[in-house]
Amino acid sequence: MTAQSQTVNITGTVFDDATKEGIELASIRVMNQKDSAYVTGAATNATGKFSVAVKPGNYLVHVSFLGYVEQYFNVNTREKRTIGDVYLKEDGILLGEAVVEAKAPEIIIKGDTTEYNADSYKVQESAVLEDLIKKIPGAEIDADGKITVNGKDITKILVDGKEFFSDDPKTASQNLPAKMVEKLQVLDKKSDMAQLTGFDDGEEQTVINLVVKPDMKQGTLANLLTGYGNKDRYEGNGFVNHARGDTRISVLGNINNNNNENANSRGGGRGLTETKEVGLNIASETSEKFKFDGDIYYSHTDNDLTSTTSREYSSRNMTENGMSESNNKNGRFRSRFRFEWTPDTLTKIIFTPNISFNKTDNSSLSTSLRENFDAPNQNMSSTSTSSSDGNTFSLNGNLLINRKLNNKGRSITFELSGGLSDGDTDGTNYSLTDYVNTGEQKLLDQISDQKNNSNNWRARVSYLEPIGRGNFLELAYNIRNNHSETDKKTYENDGTGNYNKVAEDYTRNTQNDFLNQNISLSFQARRQKYNYTIGAGLEPSSSKTKVTQPNMEERNDPRRNFLNFAPRMEFNYLWDRRHNLRIRYDGSTSQASTNQLYDGIISQNATDTTRGNPNLKPSFRHNVNLRYQKYIPENASSIMAFARFQYITNDIVSVSSWADNGGRTSTYENISGNMNGFFRFMYNTPLKNKSFSINTGTFGNYTRDNTFISSKDTDPQKNTANIYRIGEDLRLKFNSDKLQFNIGGNITYEDTKHSLSKDRNQAIYNYGGFGDFTWYLPYNFTLESNLNYSSNSGYESGYQQNSWLWNASLSKQFNISFNSGDSKTTLPTTLRFKIYDILQDRSNISRSSNAESITYSTTNTITSYFMVNLIIRFQSFKGGAKRADMPEEGGRRYGPPGGGPPGGGRRGGGPMF
């Protein structure tokens, strides 16, 4: 009887035979070997693994997934309890004529993942990941290095599924060599909690996962770049990646003054920036039960920025023009680790601690002229200087424990997290305002010391119960508490140069406690072709604020309570693994900051004042997301459509009113009705001549921005700005062994309509074109060039753009060889001469609009210069693969100088994880 009550686990891993990647949600059916009666079943996890508990005996295991040929295995658990690695081949009927004449498809849809073939997007030898991302349809990188793909922010970059400096995707994008990437995958990564339970918790992130070329997964890869140019421009960059067994170690470092937080990009950006950084990343699986990854990183940037702005107000016949110069130094140290332990087949524990320290030293000088054409006596000019010197220390961690309670899907998950932050900033603030038509002056001269401290904790429990076959019910409870404190002491100049007079209106201690709870019940149905989740939660929250000011009685605002109803729905339909639709809705609560809740002056210069509002309510966001993806193997084409919509109740917005003297007072209010929407449609396909491919992208945005404005000395009135934006991007690409080029054009139309001040309605166009080509010449010379044209119409005079940006380079590849004992070492080397902004026509112009104003701005940037680079690569991989054995652009291989045939050699290596 004891023996009969025992259970054993049948295990295995299911892979795609073509890609060698794990298949998630493959169906595992266990049947009695004698009569094929169904016994139990399961689905594979995100990596393709499964474990099914059965009583000892003889079984028939059926493995299947839509679009693949099914397989059967006989298992006698008294002799063997695993079916090992199972490789499913795609069903030939579904594939049809899927072979594409020696050309790998550029874009492939695999379930929730969009996969880009890196070799389809040619970049130069010294290129980093950022250069590759810029070539991907639908991807954008702004002047600050922020990455968006199809309108969604990229929050992390993974390398073979492991996080790589994940706190800042820019670190990875601006340092990883593009040449090590075989595939770039964009996917919506759910939180650890959601992956373990299968229920969405609203903490999904859009990430990029890099699949490293197989030849580079076992061994050492090193890149060293040095460069010097005219105008004293310099750059140096080093990257070393060593992979052995189940361990990968990466070290990076760079120093430059050419506006790159890496040493390889194309220059540009806002202002003039000098960068120094160094980092270490490690990922390892010490055993089947324990694995970890983490990184340690330090950077220092020194930025000099000059900007001009021009603002037109919707509420008044008034403009404001300004100029500012600033120097911003920022030093950052951070470390991140993730430990994952699976003590047995039923339990998983994940712990993620993080530490960071930031030090800033900023100073600025600005001038502005505000002109009121209806009241010239209010015209004013101001000059102001400010500085700040601060540091912030942060520590946080998260512990997650999941325990399976039976083999049918019952489980319980606990999550506990917490953190603290301690910041201290010293600052100065000086401003002098002249009323140009009256001779009146106002002066503000202060110093301040501000401490910002906060701590938070969170606990969550989830219980998952299977109901029948393929149905699950989740009951979850979440509670989090945030405590924040701002202690600011401000002193005024007493007229003798001493700052010993307390500025009572600017000195205060503000503390806020915010408690949020969520109890939810969700139902999920999982079927072969579709699945859906329906859930609802109640979100009670409360906020309490305490304020202490000099010579005033301490004020304790009564605790304010709120209740939100938070439904959550998701529907997924899968025609097959390459063709799917997802629709999702969720809601979330957001609390005002400590400063925004302060009942007093937050900041002030000689003319303008910003005050807090202790009566602010938490905002609630309704989010709807839609994604449609289809890959057509018959002609290697892909169709993708993305849409999202957000509606906000009690949105926290800044509201301004104007005084008779032309000064402005701003505060914060709750406004319902703000919304925004986005859509993008993309189609990519090769042409009849497979060397050509075409990509088209149509996109649009809609924003409804509500605020209250003062119109010509009247009480504030509600103004609604409806902002419509639509655009088209068209690209033609050609790839061959000797030549690659990419040409295209884009146009965007934007129309802003106001409910008040309709004379401020404005329609604008932004349009341009681009082209880049790479020409492989004899004797291992390579000529590269890119040309970008940008223009606009409808902009304010002085901000109209008609800019050509042309970069070009000529490089020579050769080998540096030297003897080391009895062996000979060869280092592939590139000597490159590159000119940036040949036409000296680069400009940085931007425009933004909302319900209050339209703002134009320009910033300084690095203009034309040339650079001479020396790039040295070292590569040693398992199996003896050498650089000469590895395919390059268009199927080319490195060979001996002169363009002769490449040498032989076998390609080795295997998966690192």
Side-chain angles (χ1 to χ4, degrees), residues 26 579 725 906:
H579 188 191
R725 187 169 177 261
R906 71 184 174 89

Side-chain angles (χ1 to χ4, degrees), residues 308-429:
T308 61
T309 59
S310 176
R311 181 174 290 114
E312 297 180 358
Y313 290 94
S314 303
S315 59
R316 290 188 156 205
N317 188 18
M318 184 171 66
T319 63
E320 186 171 359
N321 298 292
M323 185 278 293
S324 66
E325 297 178 352
S326 64
N327 174 258
N328 303 288
K329 298 182 177 69
N330 187 11
R332 296 177 295 169
F333 169 83
R334 64 177 186 268
S335 65
R336 173 206 62 87
F337 293 95
R338 173 189 170 93
F339 304 93
E340 187 172 318
W341 181 36
T342 310
D344 54 56
T345 58
L346 301 178
T347 308
K348 177 166 287 189
I349 301 173
I350 301 173
F351 177 53
T352 54
N354 301 275
I355 300 175
S356 67
F357 178 79
N358 285 7
K359 182 173 178 55
T360 59
D361 185 3
N362 305 323
S363 61
S364 67
L365 166 66
S366 63
T367 61
S368 66
L369 174 63
R370 184 179 294 169
E371 295 182 281
N372 189 329
F373 299 100
D374 294 327
N377 64 309
Q378 296 181 3
N379 294 351
M380 63 183 73
S381 65
S382 63
T383 301
S384 62
T385 62
S386 64
S387 66
S388 64
D389 183 3
N391 54 75
T392 302
F393 172 79
S394 299
L395 171 66
N396 60 77
N398 187 86
L399 177 65
L400 184 67
I401 303 173
N402 173 261
R403 175 73 178 180
K404 296 179 181 178
L405 302 180
N406 66 10
N407 62 341
K408 297 182 180 180
R410 181 181 297 152
S411 69
I412 188 167
T413 306
F414 299 95
E415 185 176 21
L416 181 65
S417 62
L420 58 88
S421 177
D422 186 356
D424 190 356
T425 302
D426 295 325
T428 66
N429 184 16

Side-chain angles (χ1 to χ4, degrees), residues 20-213:
K20 303 301 186 288
E21 296 175 354
I23 298 177
E24 184 178 7
L25 295 178
S27 175
I28 310 298
R29 298 174 66 240
V30 180
M31 298 171 285
N32 193 304
Q33 195 176 94
K34 186 175 182 179
D35 55 9
S36 297
Y38 177 79
V39 177
T40 185
T44 56
N45 65 13
T47 61
K49 295 182 179 180
F50 70 87
S51 178
V52 184
V54 296
K55 295 180 180 180
N58 296 322
Y59 296 97
L60 183 66
V61 179
H62 174 218
V63 181
S64 64
F65 191 81
L66 186 66
Y68 291 81
V69 178
E70 59 189 4
Q71 294 188 35
Y72 292 87
F73 300 87
N74 290 312
V75 178
N76 182 350
T77 60
R78 297 179 178 86
E79 299 176 356
K80 185 179 180 181
R81 299 176 183 175
T82 179
I83 63 173
D85 294 340
V86 180
Y87 291 90
L88 296 184
K89 294 183 177 181
E90 294 178 326
D91 193 324
I93 296 175
L94 290 177
L95 279 173
E97 298 296 330
V99 179
V100 187
E101 295 182 9
K103 174 182 170 62
E106 294 181 20
I107 305 173
I108 299 178
I109 307 301
K110 294 183 176 181
D112 290 337
T113 302
T114 305
E115 183 175 277
Y116 300 87
N117 177 20
D119 285 341
S120 298
Y121 306 94
K122 305 303 177 184
V123 293
Q124 56 185 298
E125 280 300 305
S126 61
V128 292
L129 177 61
E130 183 178 74
D131 300 306
L132 175 62
I133 293 174
K134 288 178 180 178
K135 292 180 176 289
I136 291 175
E140 298 176 1
I141 301 180
D142 67 13
D144 296 320
K146 179 182 176 182
I147 306 169
T148 59
V149 179
N150 298 320
K152 302 183 74 173
D153 294 342
I154 298 298
T155 58
K156 291 183 179 182
I157 289 180
L158 315 179
V159 177
D160 283 334
K162 310 297 182 183
E163 295 188 12
F164 189 90
F165 297 101
S166 60
D167 286 345
D168 185 3
K170 185 168 58 175
T171 303
S173 69
Q174 297 181 341
N175 284 282
L176 280 171
K179 287 297 182 180
M180 69 184 290
V181 180
E182 181 182 41
K183 300 171 185 176
L184 187 150
Q185 300 172 331
V186 179
L187 63 149
D188 294 325
K189 183 178 182 296
K190 296 183 178 180
S191 68
D192 291 328
M193 170 74 85
Q195 291 184 59
L196 290 171
T197 64
F199 282 80
D200 183 22
D201 58 3
E203 297 185 13
E204 182 180 84
Q205 298 175 306
T206 303
V207 304
I208 288 176
N209 179 51
L210 307 175
V211 179
V212 177
K213 292 178 179 178

Side-chain angles (χ1 to χ4, degrees), residues 546-837:
K546 181 174 71 173
V547 180
T548 304
Q549 288 182 274
N551 301 317
M552 294 181 64
E553 184 177 346
E554 180 180 280
R555 190 179 75 247
N556 283 282
D557 294 338
R559 183 172 291 275
R560 303 168 66 235
N561 299 300
F562 312 94
L563 180 64
N564 282 303
F565 175 69
R568 187 181 306 277
M569 292 173 283
E570 180 175 335
F571 175 77
N572 295 280
Y573 191 84
L574 302 99
W575 288 269
D576 57 52
R577 197 168 182 232
R578 301 184 186 93
H579 188 191
N580 58 76
L581 170 70
R582 184 181 77 178
I583 304 172
R584 171 182 294 174
Y585 165 80
D586 62 69
S588 60
T589 298
S590 180
Q591 168 69 354
S593 68
T594 305
N595 274 341
Q596 291 172 331
L597 291 168
Y598 171 60
D599 187 13
I601 297 174
I602 300 173
S603 64
Q604 187 176 43
N605 58 29
T607 60
D608 296 344
T609 301
T610 300
R611 305 182 66 94
N613 179 2
N615 297 315
L616 289 175
K617 302 176 183 177
S619 63
F620 191 83
R621 299 174 184 268
H622 303 267
N623 305 296
V624 179
N625 287 274
L626 180 146
R627 185 196 66 205
Y628 173 82
Q629 300 182 124
K630 183 178 182 180
Y631 172 64
I632 307 169
E634 288 79 5
N635 57 10
S637 62
S638 61
I639 299 173
M640 293 184 285
F642 305 89
R644 72 167 184 267
F645 178 78
Q646 184 179 81
Y647 182 87
I648 311 171
T649 58
N650 290 323
D651 195 12
I652 300 171
V653 301
S654 177
V655 176
S656 299
S657 59
W658 298 89
D660 292 338
N661 63 359
R664 178 175 55 175
T665 299
S666 300
T667 187
Y668 299 95
E669 297 286 352
N670 290 114
I671 293 182
S672 294
N674 283 349
M675 65 177 71
N676 61 81
F678 166 87
F679 81 88
R680 181 185 292 272
F681 173 83
M682 299 174 61
Y683 178 67
N684 183 87
T685 185
L687 301 181
K688 188 173 182 180
N689 181 338
K690 302 302 180 181
S691 295
F692 288 91
S693 64
I694 190 169
N695 177 275
T696 178
T698 304
F699 59 91
N701 294 84
Y702 168 70
T703 301
R704 186 169 79 182
D705 182 37
N706 293 287
T707 192
F708 287 95
I709 60 177
S710 295
S711 179
K712 298 182 179 180
D713 303 318
T714 64
D715 292 333
Q717 301 178 59
K718 184 177 180 180
N719 180 48
T720 300
N722 291 288
I723 305 170
Y724 307 87
R725 187 169 177 261
I726 190 168
E728 175 67 23
D729 186 306
L730 183 64
R731 306 183 183 195
L732 175 67
K733 186 181 302 179
F734 173 81
N735 284 336
S736 73
D737 291 348
K738 298 297 182 182
L739 177 68
Q740 287 99 33
F741 67 78
N742 184 22
I743 59 175
N746 56 78
I747 183 170
T748 303
Y749 170 75
E750 182 178 311
D751 190 10
T752 303
K753 296 183 179 297
H754 296 272
S755 60
L756 298 177
S757 305
K758 296 183 179 180
D759 57 323
R760 299 297 186 184
N761 293 348
Q762 187 179 42
I764 63 167
Y765 288 90
N766 288 283
Y767 49 90
F770 62 89
D772 60 71
F773 79 89
T774 303
W775 187 13
Y776 299 105
L777 303 171
Y779 302 104
N780 289 325
F781 280 96
T782 304
L783 180 64
E784 297 178 281
S785 181
N786 59 77
L787 180 66
N788 288 271
Y789 171 71
S790 56
S791 185
N792 60 49
S793 64
Y795 278 47
E796 179 183 292
S797 177
Y799 293 92
Q800 296 173 348
Q801 189 174 20
N802 190 30
S803 173
W804 293 86
L805 178 61
W806 182 22
N807 304 322
S809 71
L810 179 66
S811 60
K812 163 70 175 177
Q813 298 168 18
F814 57 94
N815 293 328
I816 297 177
S817 300
F818 57 91
N819 294 323
S820 178
D822 296 333
S823 62
K824 183 178 181 180
T825 301
T826 300
L827 301 178
T829 304
T830 301
L831 182 64
R832 183 183 69 186
F833 176 78
K834 184 164 186 177
I835 304 178
Y836 297 81
D837 190 13

